Amino acid sequence: MASAHRVALAFMLAMCMGAIGAINPGFVVRITQKGLDYARQEGMSVLQKELSKIHIPDFSGSTHTHIGKVKYSFSSMNIRSFQLPNSQINLVPNVGLKLSISGAFIEVDGQWRVRYKLSDHGHFDLKVEGISISVGMKLGSDGQGRPTISPSDCSSYISNVDVHISGKFSWLVDIFHHQIDSAFRKAIEDQICPLVSQSISSKLGPLLQTLPVTAKIDHVAAIDYSLIGPPSVTAEVLDAQLKGEFFYLSHRSTPPFPALPMSFPVDHDLMVYFAAGSYLFNTAGFVYHSAGALVFNVTDDMIPKNFSVRLNTSSFGTLIPQISKMYPNMLMKLKIESASAPFLNIKPGNLTISPVMDIQAYAILPNSSLAPLFLLNVTTNALVKIAVNSGRIVGNLELSRVEMVLKHSDVGPFSVTVLNLAVNYYISNVLLPQVNEILKKGYPLPLLDHVQLTDVVLQPYENFILFGANVHNG
């Protein structure tokens, strides 16, 4: 009984550890049946070109008939056309994909020769009809977190071989057409599956390798888009779960917060969907804050000329008299930096960010050194607008609230309310445009080479933003 308790306890601990160790993705790519159908249409032209490379070798033989022994040969065979009119691709749950081709046909011409007492030769036309091909494709991931695809099974079948032969002895062919049928059928069937498998390995496999595992943003950060496991397949969709995490190029560290779960809506109208979790955006804030990159300097030459409160001690002296008394007729500088990593809050229909900043004011002394004046702690609230532009996630902030607290003063006590107008103006008209210019450059989506997005729709859900789109291979 004690042993049974130990087994049960071990099982429960294993389950708990599994739950604790479970990793949520920061980014998910979902491909629908509509998306697969588009990929199939694009891929069939490539496959048709590859299958047109089928080589039908010369063959010869002899057969005994009721009129005697007849020798024959077929040579100089050339595929005029290989058509794949009907195809479909289906999702195979927990495995991958199944490509089915039906009604395919091949048109071949060449030369024939027959020897029976006398010899004859001529031209022939061959039509191979009712070709069906079925190939399974297994999905996985490699050691670098890229998706992989490999043929798992393949079969082909030819329902009819029809030969038309010219020449006065063409009637002889009817006597041994079964041998000709069998020879042509075998020559073609033996090559279909190897060529299909080779096309998957040599064309589709390398194409998947163009998916970016990492996307460098700038000299500070990059995004990790590696798979956290093999793609998952259901009867309706194919999901690729990606790490979706910003990291510091100089020193990578684990963010101090986990990726939150994302609950996908049931929506399959578009070809592809991207779920960008709050984790993706918040790791960006964490990385740039940790790297000391969220620091902005504001000087008087950056202030629009029509604004009344200049960034100098004379102008600020009308608000805080001690400043102009201690540092008369001097320019000033504001150093604005994030007090903590900014976090994006994603709710259905609403995206907000509430960065907390420290604003250190300095007087610029005649020798260019800086004299500290005061330190403000500023809490802001901004609405976030997200969009997709040329395959990149771009953003824009609209400031809605600014609150200030005086953390320290080197010029004596004063009320921060006298600074409301100036600080609001500087943040809205100087700092915010700088931030929006950075956000305008955006972050790249994980896309295959030459893939463009159209008909993009965007919807925020709990903890993630869902982008839906159709694709175009441009």
Side-chain angles (χ1 to χ4, degrees), residues 58-338:
D58 297 348
F59 67 89
S60 59
S62 62
T63 185
H64 292 277
T65 70
H66 66 281
I67 60 172
K69 185 177 182 181
V70 178
K71 294 182 178 180
Y72 59 87
S73 66
F74 290 82
S75 62
S76 304
M77 287 172 276
N78 174 60
I79 293 180
R80 293 199 314 270
S81 176
F82 197 132
Q83 299 298 319
L84 306 172
N86 305 312
S87 62
Q88 64 179 30
I89 191 166
N90 294 313
L91 292 152
V92 182
N94 304 316
V95 177
L97 307 170
K98 175 73 76 173
L99 174 65
S100 302
I101 299 169
S102 62
F105 62 90
I106 308 174
E107 293 177 338
V108 180
D109 57 31
Q111 301 296 317
W112 67 275
R113 181 178 294 275
V114 167
R115 180 174 294 177
Y116 165 68
K117 295 183 180 180
L118 297 176
S119 64
D120 192 16
H121 64 89
H123 177 81
F124 78 88
D125 291 301
L126 169 70
K127 193 166 186 179
V128 183
E129 298 177 299
I131 304 173
S132 60
I133 306 169
S134 176
V135 57
M137 291 170 278
K138 185 177 181 180
L139 299 173
S141 60
D142 64 14
Q144 284 73 47
R146 288 188 175 91
T148 61
I149 188 167
S150 58
S152 57
D153 59 85
C154 182
S155 63
S156 64
Y157 175 73
I158 297 172
S159 65
N160 185 54
V161 176
D162 189 15
V163 184
H164 295 280
I165 292 181
S166 64
K168 62 182 180 181
F169 283 175
S170 60
W171 58 271
L172 282 172
V173 176
D174 291 335
I175 299 175
F176 49 87
H177 70 87
H178 291 298
Q179 289 93 327
I180 298 172
D181 182 310
S182 177
F184 278 119
R185 188 187 300 268
K186 186 176 188 307
I188 294 171
E189 283 184 341
D190 284 352
Q191 294 183 67
I192 287 177
C193 278
L195 278 172
V196 171
S197 297
Q198 181 186 6
S199 295
I200 293 170
S201 300
S202 65
K203 303 293 183 182
L204 191 52
L207 179 62
L208 292 181
Q209 291 294 301
T210 68
L211 276 171
V213 172
T214 58
K216 185 178 178 181
I217 306 303
D218 48 34
H219 68 283
V220 175
I223 304 176
D224 185 340
Y225 276 136
S226 61
L227 285 165
I228 61 174
S232 60
V233 183
T234 69
E236 295 180 320
V237 295
L238 185 160
D239 284 348
Q241 298 187 334
L242 314 181
K243 197 170 187 68
E245 178 183 293
F246 274 74
F247 63 93
Y248 187 20
L249 288 171
S250 297
H251 175 67
R252 187 161 187 172
S253 60
T254 302
F257 49 86
L260 300 174
M262 295 181 278
S263 180
F264 254 94
V266 180
D267 190 354
H268 306 147
D269 295 335
L270 298 171
M271 294 181 185
V272 64
Y273 291 88
F274 303 97
S278 57
Y279 181 77
L280 173 72
F281 302 102
N282 292 335
T283 55
F286 169 74
V287 166
Y288 283 99
H289 176 260
S290 300
L294 300 182
V295 178
F296 302 88
N297 292 313
V298 180
T299 53
D300 187 65
D301 59 345
M302 300 166 68
I303 308 301
K305 299 300 182 184
N306 60 350
F307 187 58
S308 58
V309 183
R310 309 307 306 171
L311 202 47
N312 57 50
T313 57
S314 298
S315 186
F316 264 71
T318 61
L319 305 175
I320 309 171
Q322 304 96 294
I323 290 179
S324 57
K325 292 178 182 178
M326 296 174 64
Y327 303 98
N329 301 317
M330 295 181 188
L331 290 173
M332 290 174 57
K333 171 184 173 180
L334 301 181
K335 180 182 180 182
I336 305 175
E337 59 183 316
S338 61

Side-chain angles (χ1 to χ4, degrees), residues 355-359 376-381 399-406 416-417 419-420 423-424 427:
V356 179
M357 299 175 290
D358 283 337
I359 300 180
L376 300 176
N377 182 255
V378 180
T379 301
T380 62
N381 186 266
L399 200 64
S400 60
R401 179 177 60 86
V402 177
E403 294 181 355
M404 293 180 292
V405 174
L406 182 63
V416 295
T417 57
L419 298 178
N420 270 333
V423 170
N424 269 277
I427 291 176

Side-chain angles (χ1 to χ4, degrees), residues 356-426:
V356 179
M357 299 175 290
D358 283 337
I359 300 180
Q360 175 66 61
Y362 296 96
I364 303 175
L365 302 180
N367 64 0
S368 298
S369 62
L370 301 176
L373 302 176
F374 55 83
L375 176 64
L376 300 176
N377 182 255
V378 180
T379 301
T380 62
N381 186 266
L383 296 176
V384 183
K385 292 185 177 180
I386 300 289
V388 173
N389 184 16
S390 300
R392 300 176 75 87
I393 302 175
V394 297
N396 187 77
L397 302 184
E398 293 182 358
L399 200 64
S400 60
R401 179 177 60 86
V402 177
E403 294 181 355
M404 293 180 292
V405 174
L406 182 63
K407 289 181 70 173
H408 176 75
S409 175
D410 293 279
V411 294
F414 63 90
S415 173
V416 295
T417 57
V418 300
L419 298 178
N420 270 333
L421 177 64
V423 170
N424 269 277
Y425 187 88
Y426 296 155

